[in-house]
Amino acid sequence: MSSSAAEIRDPDPPCALAGEADWRVPLVFSSPHSGRVYTSAFVASSRLDPVTLRRSEDSFVDELFDAAPAAGAPLLKALFPRAYLDVNREPWELDPAMFDGPLPEFVNSRSPRVGGGLGTLARVVANGADIYRGKLSFPEARRRVETLYAPYHAALEDLLARARARFGRVALVDCHSMPSIGGPMDRDPGRRRADFVLGDAHGQACAPALIEAAETHLRRAGFVVARNDPYAGGHITRHYGKPRAGRHALQIEINRALYMDEMRIEKNAGFADLKTAIGGLIAALARIAPSLPTARE
């Protein structure tokens, strides 16, 4: 847990943007799950120890992709942790069992993510362990959505709209990491995973050229790459990926064993080499992005 875990208040602002001043290519990078500001109130409300609480975090992914600004593309990252609020969900995917009273009718309590305990406010971490000691109130959920979720998506929507207006098209790369072996809440429990999983919602979220460029580059670099299995793209990829409107979205999942000790949540000896390889991937995507279809093509 970072030293900021001692802070009581949520991060303000809730997200950080780098690279806007030198924006040269129709490309935007998003790291929605690498936030690590754990408030003392959240830690106190959890039945989990600090390291276990971080198991859902895409640790260090923002650092792996921090070459994006040098390649001419902005990088947006959340500062709050996924276990606290997940922006890669619809805004109101909530589990009624987590709350001390009835939820409003507009809440989506029947989504597969809610059923797995991983809604907008997660019930469990990645290994299936319950997060909270007691029940939450809906006003607390509303506060988190309004002060964290809404600003993140407003910032992301603004970046995509400006890129679309400036370049005629935009490619959003949503950056994630995954456990090296499928967990009990996953579609592939106990299965060893590829080095990278690329998700384009089974061809619906981006032009083929974008995912093909990513896959080709990674395979030539010696990595094992899978498409859409076990992750085809979350809410961000599916919501913002509208190729016919000139908005392309690609989700990238990185096997954590490549760069970190998954039990200790610490970087391992492979981190530097992987970061260099991802720098090459960023450059490859920056080359292909200007040729992606616009809304008129």
Side-chain angles (χ1 to χ4, degrees):
M1 195 74 63
S2 69
S3 60
S4 55
E7 298 174 7
I8 295 175
R9 300 176 60 177
D10 293 341
D12 184 16
C15 50
L17 177 62
E20 184 181 17
D22 195 23
W23 197 352
R24 305 187 302 275
V25 293
L27 197 57
V28 172
F29 288 84
S30 166
S31 182
H33 290 162
S34 56
R36 41 193 178 268
V37 177
Y38 289 78
T39 68
S40 59
F42 177 47
V43 174
S45 73
S46 176
R47 63 175 67 217
L48 304 177
D49 65 85
V51 173
T52 302
L53 194 57
R54 294 187 67 185
R55 292 279 154 76
S56 292
E57 179 187 309
D58 288 348
S59 301
F60 317 119
V61 164
D62 55 333
E63 296 181 49
L64 287 172
F65 282 88
D66 68 9
L75 169 64
L76 180 69
K77 61 181 180 180
L79 302 180
F80 51 88
R82 178 190 185 188
Y84 188 65
L85 186 285
D86 191 346
V87 293
N88 199 25
R89 297 289 183 265
E90 298 171 17
W92 303 109
E93 292 188 71
L94 302 176
D95 184 347
M98 294 174 59
F99 293 88
D100 59 9
L103 300 178
E105 291 185 1
F106 59 77
V107 166
N108 180 359
S109 61
R110 298 180 180 274
S111 78
R113 281 77 56 189
V114 170
L118 296 171
T120 316
L121 271 64
R123 176 174 52 81
V124 300
V125 290
N127 65 1
D130 285 342
I131 293 174
Y132 294 98
R133 297 179 185 274
K135 302 285 187 179
L136 301 176
S137 69
F138 179 72
E140 170 60 15
R142 184 186 293 276
R143 185 191 67 79
R144 294 187 199 179
V145 169
E146 291 178 349
T147 62
L148 302 174
Y149 185 103
Y152 191 88
H153 279 277
L156 186 53
E157 179 65 52
D158 177 66
L159 288 170
L160 297 176
R162 285 194 285 145
R164 173 71 178 77
R166 179 177 175 182
F167 301 106
R169 78 269 286 165
V170 62
L172 168 64
V173 181
D174 203 40
C175 310
H176 297 264
S177 69
M178 60 185 174
S180 57
I181 297 174
M185 312 301 293
D186 297 318
R187 294 170 47 196
D188 57 343
R191 193 175 85 188
R192 187 169 296 278
R193 289 168 166 170
D195 296 327
F196 286 82
V197 175
L198 305 178
D200 65 352
H202 300 284
Q204 299 302 305
C206 67
L210 183 62
I211 192 170
E212 288 168 3
E215 182 172 9
T216 297
H217 179 86
L218 290 170
R219 289 190 184 278
R220 286 176 177 171
F223 295 105
V224 176
V225 184
R227 287 196 192 189
N228 295 306
D229 183 23
Y231 301 111
H235 174 71
I236 289 175
T237 302
R238 295 173 185 273
H239 178 72
Y240 293 107
K242 302 182 187 302
R244 292 183 180 179
R247 299 204 324 188
H248 307 268
L250 175 66
Q251 179 175 284
I252 296 180
E253 295 272 1
I254 306 169
N255 190 313
R256 292 175 187 163
L258 293 175
Y259 72 93
M260 64 178 281
D261 183 317
E262 296 177 80
M263 295 304 295
R264 296 175 178 267
I265 319 293
E266 296 175 352
K267 299 173 188 175
N268 65 21
F271 183 87
D273 286 343
L274 180 63
K275 184 173 180 177
T276 299
I278 289 176
L281 172 63
I282 291 169
L285 296 177
R287 288 192 295 270
I288 193 68
S291 65
L292 294 174
T294 68
R296 297 181 298 276
E297 295 175 351

